[in-house]
């Protein structure tokens, strides 16, 4: 079976991790520069590069410090990626420069508009709070728009029960995955942007039609059936993204575990005094490795 997450895609991912790290630290200027560079790359290298980004962007690099400038700029990278994806689907979209109390992305279709936010998490993070997904906040940030979307890495979403699904149905906020968005964009590229726009609107309208429930299966069955029932073309795209989701988890694990292994080796090569100062960090690395190894495919794309 041909690999969907290619070595070239992984190399591109490594380039962007370093590019974000190298930026100066002036958040406003760096955000604009990053957005421009991403748009230029997609325009010059083609649609496939955009899909590679969507498949690999869901995990924050372990090499970035917590609450660091790199981590903040990485968040802006995922927002820029959302906006660029909407543009390829024929929508008008922009990344907002506001830093608080507002959505990060706005998008405008022919007959509707919406706000959106991209989420990314470290693989080593053990517990995610419902507030991390910002479902309730997104409802308040619609600013008169009918719809809102939160796009998340598929393997980080609850697949059994969670308040985020109840909040989504009550507040009319679409919890989506990068995998679903990749399918939607690819569908538009093959069948036309009018079709993908129509399907996107149907997905949005499926959310408030659900009975409020914490049940993940009920929520994802509605999303998945809406997309699969729209066109037979979606069947093949579904199979492709199911494979890509599995491969993306493997790539994310390898990236994170490779970094942590290097960190452990660096610590083990320290002098006795240096090693004593870093002893607690060694234990944290071990716990992170356990957490990363426990990440598995959520099975969301199999719910129908």
């Amino acid at each position: 079976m041909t690999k969907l997450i290619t070595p070239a895609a992984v190399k591109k991912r490594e380039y962007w991790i370093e590019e974000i790290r190298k930026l100066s630290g002036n958040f406003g200027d760096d955000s604009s520069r990053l957005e421009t560079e991403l748009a230029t790359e997609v325009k010059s290298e083609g649609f496939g590069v955009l899909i590679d980004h969507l498949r690999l962007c869901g995990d924050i690099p372990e090499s970035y410090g917590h609450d660091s400038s790199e981590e903040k700029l990485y968040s802006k990278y995922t927002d820029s990626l959302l906006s660029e994806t909407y543009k390829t689907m024929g929508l008008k979209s922009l990344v907002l420069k506001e830093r608080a109390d507002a959505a990060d992305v706005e998008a405008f279709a022919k007959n509707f508009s919406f706000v959106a936010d991209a989420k990314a998490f470290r693989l080593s993070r053990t517990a995610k709070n419902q507030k991390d997904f910002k479902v309730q906040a997104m409802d308040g940030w619609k600013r008169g728009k009918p719809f809102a979307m939160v796009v998340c890495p598929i393997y980080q979403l609850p697949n059994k029960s969670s308040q985020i699904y109840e909040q989504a149905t009550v507040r009319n906020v679409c919890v989506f995955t990068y995998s679903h968005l990749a399918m939607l964009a690819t569908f538009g590229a093959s069948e036309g942007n009018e079709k993908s726009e129509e399907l996107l609107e149907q997905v949005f309208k499926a959310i408030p039609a659900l009975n409020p429930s914490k049940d993940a299966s009920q929520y994802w069955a509605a999303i998945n059936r809406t997309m699969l029932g729209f066109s037979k073309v979606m069947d093949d795209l579904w199979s492709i993204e199911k494979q890509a989701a599995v491969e993306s988890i493997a790539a994310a694990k390898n990236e994170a575990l490779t970094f942590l292994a290097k960190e452990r080796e660096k610590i083990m090569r320290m002098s006795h005094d240096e090693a004593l100062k870093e002893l607690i960090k060694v234990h944290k690395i071990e716990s992170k490795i356990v957490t990363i190894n426990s990440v598995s495919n959520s099975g969301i794309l199999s719910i129908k």
Side-chain angles (χ1 to χ4, degrees):
M1 184 180 292
T2 304
K3 287 281 187 179
L4 297 172
I5 305 297
T6 64
V10 174
K11 276 286 185 186
K12 182 70 72 176
R13 159 84 176 170
E14 292 172 355
Y15 164 81
W16 275 94
I17 290 173
E18 289 305 312
E19 183 70 1
I20 290 170
R21 195 195 314 279
K22 286 188 298 185
L23 289 175
S24 67
N26 186 328
F27 188 84
D29 292 344
D30 292 344
S31 298
S32 298
R33 175 181 163 188
L34 186 150
E35 189 177 351
T36 300
E37 185 175 347
L38 182 62
T40 301
E41 180 183 280
V42 172
K43 184 176 181 179
S44 63
E45 299 188 32
F47 180 75
V49 169
L50 179 70
I51 298 302
D52 286 340
H53 276 285
L54 287 173
R55 288 170 175 169
L56 293 171
C57 74
D59 60 297
I60 299 171
E62 292 290 335
S63 58
Y64 291 172
H66 286 275
D67 296 322
S68 62
S69 58
E70 297 99 329
E71 185 176 89
K72 291 181 175 66
L73 198 57
Y74 190 87
S75 177
K76 192 56 64 176
Y77 154 71
T78 56
D79 290 331
S80 299
L81 181 57
L82 277 200
S83 184
E84 196 61 34
T85 303
Y86 297 142
K87 289 176 185 176
T88 66
M89 294 167 56
L91 281 63
K92 295 181 180 179
S93 181
L94 69 156
V95 180
L96 300 178
K97 303 304 179 185
E98 297 177 65
R99 293 293 302 278
D101 196 31
D104 292 316
V105 178
E106 285 189 352
F108 306 87
K110 183 178 180 181
N111 298 316
F112 63 94
S113 59
F114 60 97
V115 295
D117 190 25
K119 304 303 299 179
F121 302 99
R122 295 174 187 272
L123 284 189
S124 61
R125 184 168 178 179
T126 52
K128 288 173 287 294
N129 191 288
Q130 57 168 319
K131 292 182 180 179
D132 294 332
F133 295 96
K134 295 185 180 178
V135 174
Q136 294 189 72
M138 288 296 288
D139 180 34
W141 294 341
K142 288 176 184 174
R143 303 289 195 266
K145 292 179 174 57
F147 306 121
M149 174 179 282
V150 181
V151 185
C152 310
I154 195 167
Y155 44 84
Q156 296 281 17
L157 281 163
N159 63 355
K160 293 183 179 179
S161 178
S162 173
Q163 287 187 342
I164 67 169
Y165 300 122
E166 186 174 45
Q167 292 168 358
T169 53
V170 169
R171 298 179 179 274
N172 192 16
V173 174
C174 176
V175 177
F176 219 44
T177 76
Y178 292 108
S179 300
H180 287 84
L181 187 59
M183 279 187 276
L184 196 58
T186 305
F187 179 71
S190 63
E191 303 301 305
N193 287 333
E194 287 188 6
K195 285 289 187 181
S196 62
E197 186 175 312
E198 182 184 348
L199 174 53
L200 177 57
E201 186 174 17
Q202 286 194 19
V203 169
F204 276 130
K205 289 181 176 179
I207 308 301
L210 287 167
N211 291 322
S213 171
K214 296 178 183 178
D215 185 12
S217 294
Q218 175 182 298
Y219 179 87
W220 289 111
I223 298 291
N224 295 350
R225 287 170 184 167
T226 298
M227 294 182 68
L228 284 165
F230 189 81
S231 170
K232 286 291 183 184
V233 173
M234 196 60 70
D235 291 343
D236 289 338
L237 299 182
W238 210 267
S239 297
I240 290 170
E241 285 310 315
K242 282 181 75 172
Q243 179 186 339
V246 173
E247 291 181 21
S248 69
I249 296 172
K253 283 184 173 183
N254 184 63
E255 175 190 298
L257 292 171
T258 298
F259 169 75
L260 292 176
K262 288 179 180 177
E263 284 294 286
R264 183 167 55 191
E265 180 175 349
K266 181 179 73 176
I267 292 168
M268 295 305 294
R269 291 183 182 278
M270 289 178 177
S271 68
H272 179 71
D273 289 342
E274 291 171 332
L276 287 175
K277 293 177 182 178
E278 297 293 332
L279 185 59
I280 294 176
K281 292 183 179 180
V282 173
H283 287 293
K284 287 184 178 179
I285 287 174
E286 294 297 339
S287 66
K288 286 180 178 181
I289 288 173
V290 171
T291 301
I292 289 167
N293 278 321
S294 70
V295 176
S296 62
N297 185 16
S298 63
I300 283 173
L301 293 180
S302 297
I303 300 173
K304 300 176 184 176

